[in-house]
Amino acid sequence: MRLVFAGTPEVAVPALDALLASDRHEVVAVVTRPDAPAGRGRRLVASPVAQRAEEAGIEVLKPAKPREPDFLARLREIAPDCCPVVAYGALLPKAALEIPAHGWVNLHFSLLPAWRGAAPVQHAILAGDEVTGASTFLIEEGLDSGPVFGVLTEQVRPTDTSGDLLTRLAFAGSGLLLATMDGIEDGTLKAVQQPADGISLAPKINVEDAQLDWSAPALRVDRVVRGCAPAPGAWTLFRGERLKVMSVAPAPDRTGLAPGEIAAAKNSLHVGTGSHAVELLWVQPQGKKPMKAADWARGVRIAAGERLGGA
C-alpha cells in the first residue's frame, strides 16, 4: 500500500522505521506537527518524525491544522491507500479521514477501550495497572472509539516510569502496526467494534496533576513519581521553591514520620507519607541539574522537623 505516516514525537519513530523497512508498503510522505521552539535558545526545531523522514528523503507535511485546504489538497494528490498514525497530536477532520481508501489507523498505547485519550501510559501507572498494552484501531471522529484491528499486551514492572513503559510499547507496537498494515492490504484483517463496557479516559497530565500529596499513602506517591516521569515531572515545595522529585523507593520499615516530614542521614533521605515513608533517590532543585537526594539534603542543611510540601 501507499502510506502517509502521521506522527510527531520520538515515540513514533520506531513505527515509522518499521514501515520504511517493509518490502510490502511504501511510505510516500509523513504528516507531523509544525516545528516548535526547543532548548535554551528556543530555536525552532523539526519534530523527531520530521527529522527521520528527511533523512529517508520523504516528503514532510507540517500543517498548522490538518483541516487546512492546502494540506487536504496535497493529501488528495498523494492519494494514499492508508494513513498509519502514532502520536500525531492533532484532531483529524472528517475531510481528512475520508481521503485514504483504508482510512487512518492509529497505534494507541493502551488496551482499548481502557485509557482513551492523550496519556494512556501515564494513567495506567497512576492507576496501578499490572498489565497494559497497545491497540491498532480505525480512527473515527470520536475519541479513540473506532473499531480495533489488533492488540498486544505488556507487563507493567514495579519500577517502570512512563518513559520506560512507553519506550517498550513503542518498539513492540511498531510490529503490531506493520502487521495491521499487512492484514489490511491482503484483506485478512477486519476491525472489531470496541465493547461498551470498560471505557476509561486518560486526559493529558498537567503540571498541577504532578504535585505530590504527602498525606497520600506511599504507594500513591510512588505511582505519581513514576507516572509523571519524565514529563511533566512530579514536584513538591521546599522553602517556597519547587523541587522536582525524579525517583523514590517505598521504605515500609521506616515509620514515625509525619506526612512531608524529612529525615536526612549521611547517605539517605526519607520523607513521611500517609502510610510509611519513602526514600527520595533523585531530585532536581529549581534551576539546577538532577542530583542524588542525599547530596541535595547535605547542601541545603535540612533542619529538624522541616517538611516537603509546605510554603
Side-chain angles (χ1 to χ4, degrees), residues 186-212:
D186 62 25
T188 59
L189 197 56
K190 303 297 180 186
V192 177
Q193 291 295 331
Q194 295 182 33
D197 296 330
I199 296 170
S200 53
L201 300 180
K204 183 179 178 179
I205 304 291
N206 60 36
V207 173
E208 289 72 28
D209 298 325
Q211 183 175 10
L212 292 169

Side-chain angles (χ1 to χ4, degrees), residues 107-122:
L107 171 64
H108 182 77
F109 298 117
S110 81
L111 297 173
L112 290 169
W115 304 128
R116 293 177 179 176
V121 173
Q122 290 93 328

Side-chain angles (χ1 to χ4, degrees), residues 88-144:
Y88 169 45
L91 290 176
L92 296 160
K94 185 177 180 182
L97 296 177
E98 292 173 343
I99 291 174
H102 294 287
W104 298 66
V105 176
N106 192 26
L107 171 64
H108 182 77
F109 298 117
S110 81
L111 297 173
L112 290 169
W115 304 128
R116 293 177 179 176
V121 173
Q122 290 93 328
H123 280 275
I125 290 178
L126 289 171
D129 291 355
E130 294 181 355
V131 176
T132 186
S135 309
T136 50
F137 72 94
L138 185 66
I139 294 179
E140 301 176 335
E141 290 188 89
L143 176 65
D144 300 336

Side-chain angles (χ1 to χ4, degrees), residues 213-230:
D213 175 7
W214 296 105
S215 68
L219 187 66
R220 176 64 183 174
V221 171
D222 175 57
R223 288 176 183 173
V224 172
V225 171
R226 292 187 296 110
C228 294

